Structures are given as C-alpha cells and as structure tokens.
Amino acid sequence: MSDQAGPESARDPAEFVARMRELKRRSGLSYRQLEERAAARGEVLARSTIADGLRKDTLPRPDVLGAFVRACGAGPDETVAWLEARDRLAAEPVVTRPAPGPEHETGPEHETGPAATPDPGTPRQPWWRATPRRPALLAAVLVLLLGAGAWVLWPGEESNEVPGTAFDIGWYEIRPARTPELCVTDGRERTGRYADAVAVQLPCAEIEVPRVALRPADEDGSTYIEWHHPEEGRGCLTVLRTGSGTGLLEPRDDCAGMDIPGQFFRFEPVPETPDTYRVHTDGSEECLGILDDEEVAGAEVVETPCADEPAQQFVVVATGETDTVPTPGG
C-alpha cells in the first residue's frame, strides 16, 4: 500500500481500517495524543476504543471516524472524503467469491451468501461495485454535527473499560488465586511452539529473577507489569496477538504503552476478596488467566475472554522491598 493511499481506494472494510492505521502512522501521534487532540476539539475519543477499533476489520461509526481523522490532522475536505468512503462501503452488500472451477459459477447472480474468510496467505482478489456518490454537502453537514462532541464507540460496542486500581511504583508478587504457592514469572511455553520467554506460574520459593514491578501507565488506572532482570534489563509484559505465540505474554524492552496496546493492564478488584484482582487487557473484553485452568507449575498465563472464574483471579501484594524500581531508560 502506498503511504498516500486514501480512503476512496479501499475495497472493503478491512482495507478501510488498514488505511485508518496508515493515517495514524503518518500522523506520528500516539493514542494518548489522539485522545487529547480530540478533547481539545470538544470530542471524546477514548484511547482504548481507538486501539481496539484499529485491530478490527469492521467499519467504525461515522462519529468515531470523524473524531479520529480530525485528531490525525485531517481538514474539512479530507474528513468529508473519509466519511463518504465509509458510507460507500457500508452500503455495499456482503458477497462471497467462490474459487474458480467447473463446479463454481462466477457470475454476479451467484455473489450471495455469508462472507468468506480470505486466506491470509493469498492476495485478496480485486473487485469493485459501483455505488451512488453521496452528496458532499450532506457529508459536510454531518462533519459539522459530529464536531459537537460525544462519546464514540465502534459498532456494537459499549464502553468496557473498567476502573483500574492505581498501584504505587514498587516491587510486587502476582500469584494465581487458586495456587498461592505459585507466582507469575519467567518460563517457557511447554509445547515448544514459541521459543522465547513467556509468563508462566512457578513455585514462588524457587524464583530468584526476574523481579516484578508495577508502574502506573496513565492517570486512569492502567498499569505496566514490568520484569527486571540483572542481565536482560527491564521488560514490559506484552500480550502477543500474532504468530505462533498468540495469546501468550512476553517481556519486551520496547515499553510503549498505548502504541503497543497489549502492554496496558487494568486490575479490577474482586469483591470481598482482599488483594485479589481480575486483570483486563487494554480496555478489551479479554483478561489474563491460566491456560486451560491448570493448577500445575509451568502452566502458561494467557489472554482469554473475561469470565467470573477463579482461573482469572490473581493475588497482588507488595514484597516489602524498599529499593527503588529503576526508571525507564535508567
């Protein structure tokens, strides 16, 4: 894709969102900065909503799109172009492209049925469908109306951002609530499908490194989970969302917060259970849990849909160590 690919060339919602990601990249702005720029215009554009939406292949609501592109620096004409392209794609019917062959007809009369999932290993076949161009005047009016400001969400979303407990910077132990003799620490994925260090549960008494620190990531209660190793240095636990390690947590030295959404965590207190939390990932509907609800040493910590289950509850306590947690880059 060209760096200058515009929304009008997007052939489907997935390509449209890809162009939104490219617009953000060209803007050079972080999610936090986009939120702040929207707020300066009287609009409310939550960081978690942006981060979650840009991972999807579904069209945003017009108010989301308008706030987003304006925060990225788009002027009125460019904003209108984005809104018109979005409306064009929203008006198109969902079609299936059957594989060519004698048993498949490829005429337009056969382009019905549920949408097929493209093979990620093959390029998407180009196809276009003519749709009436919406008058620019109507889109411009929409831009002005959206400028009034409102909470903006992706389609079908409700705000799922939970209040996070604000921890002081310091050294902590994170223990699965069902197996308090185990701690979340450095280990290896047991099948060998992912070779690098990941988060697992191991006996606390046997752990020497890494040390675990919590650090506030923003003023709204999000937290970095840091590992500090005498040789490897500082690493922020990061949810892997692609490749062979998908769903696992890996320590990474590029602690970039909302620019790497999988590094933001919110600790939601479990009612009537002191020091016990569900750990949400970056404002999504996912939480940390133990793979397959296992209680054995070595079981991996993974991202999984949030549920009211003991396997997703963790005890978080300060170690009482008084030395200062090293500052980033220090």
Side-chain angles (χ1 to χ4, degrees):
M1 182 193 307
S2 166
D3 276 357
Q4 301 302 318
E8 64 281 350
S9 62
R11 297 168 294 180
D12 55 33
E15 287 193 357
F16 187 84
V17 176
R19 280 155 176 69
M20 291 178 65
R21 289 193 291 268
E22 180 61 22
L23 178 65
K24 177 190 177 297
R25 187 194 68 79
R26 294 201 309 267
S27 77
L29 299 170
S30 68
Y31 291 98
R32 179 193 295 275
Q33 290 170 321
L34 290 173
E35 182 183 56
E36 292 172 348
R37 291 185 67 159
R41 300 180 61 92
E43 299 173 310
V44 182
L45 187 64
R47 282 167 285 171
S48 58
T49 294
I50 309 171
D52 192 42
L54 291 182
R55 292 199 305 268
K56 297 181 177 180
D57 291 336
T58 56
L59 293 171
R61 292 180 179 174
D63 49 354
V64 176
L65 180 61
F68 172 77
V69 298
R70 284 190 289 270
C72 287
D77 291 344
E78 187 178 356
T79 304
V80 168
W82 279 95
L83 291 166
E84 287 186 334
R86 184 252 176 226
D87 286 349
R88 169 179 61 82
L89 292 172
E92 291 180 352
V94 177
V95 301
T96 297
R97 291 284 162 182
E103 72 278 18
H104 292 289
E105 296 295 331
T106 59
E109 69 275 12
H110 294 281
E111 295 175 356
T112 59
T117 302
D119 179 356
T122 59
R124 187 179 285 108
Q125 295 299 314
W127 55 277
W128 297 264
R129 185 180 299 276
T131 55
R133 181 174 176 84
R134 295 181 180 268
L137 177 61
L138 291 179
V141 171
L142 180 59
V143 171
L144 293 175
L145 291 175
L146 295 177
W151 287 100
V152 289
L153 301 169
W154 234 253
E157 263 189 330
E158 295 180 358
S159 179
N160 51 22
E161 191 169 276
V162 300
T165 294
F167 292 94
D168 294 330
I169 299 174
W171 303 109
Y172 291 82
E173 286 182 343
I174 302 177
R175 301 174 179 241
R178 295 184 309 169
T179 53
E181 74 280 6
L182 304 179
C183 285
V184 174
T185 189
D186 177 5
R188 290 295 187 272
E189 195 276 328
R190 289 171 292 175
T191 70
R193 66 184 171 93
Y194 193 74
D196 294 336
V198 296
V200 303
Q201 57 182 14
L202 290 174
C204 301
E206 300 176 7
I207 298 171
E208 296 183 2
V209 293
R211 299 169 73 188
V212 177
L214 299 182
R215 185 188 305 274
D218 68 10
E219 65 278 8
D220 297 326
S222 293
T223 299
Y224 291 125
I225 303 175
E226 300 179 354
W227 283 359
H228 291 259
H229 193 283
E231 297 176 358
E232 303 296 334
R234 170 182 180 249
C236 283
L237 279 191
T238 305
V239 178
L240 301 177
R241 299 226 164 91
T242 59
S244 61
T246 297
L248 298 170
L249 278 78
E250 175 185 66
R252 291 188 173 179
D253 56 11
D254 52 343
C255 301
M258 287 305 293
D259 289 328
I260 303 179
Q263 291 180 350
F264 255 43
F265 300 95
R266 287 181 177 270
F267 288 74
E268 175 194 10
V270 175
E272 301 180 359
T273 311
D275 300 324
T276 304
Y277 305 85
R278 285 200 307 172
V279 185
H280 295 254
T281 57
D282 63 38
S284 71
E285 295 181 358
E286 306 293 307
C287 289
L288 301 188
I290 305 301
L291 180 64
D292 296 331
D293 298 347
E294 293 188 68
E295 300 184 26
V296 299
E300 298 86 351
V301 180
V302 294
E303 184 181 53
T304 185
C306 294
D308 187 16
E309 298 178 353
Q312 293 185 11
Q313 297 178 7
F314 295 86
V315 176
V316 181
V317 293
T319 64
E321 298 167 286
T322 58
D323 57 315
T324 302
V325 176
T327 57

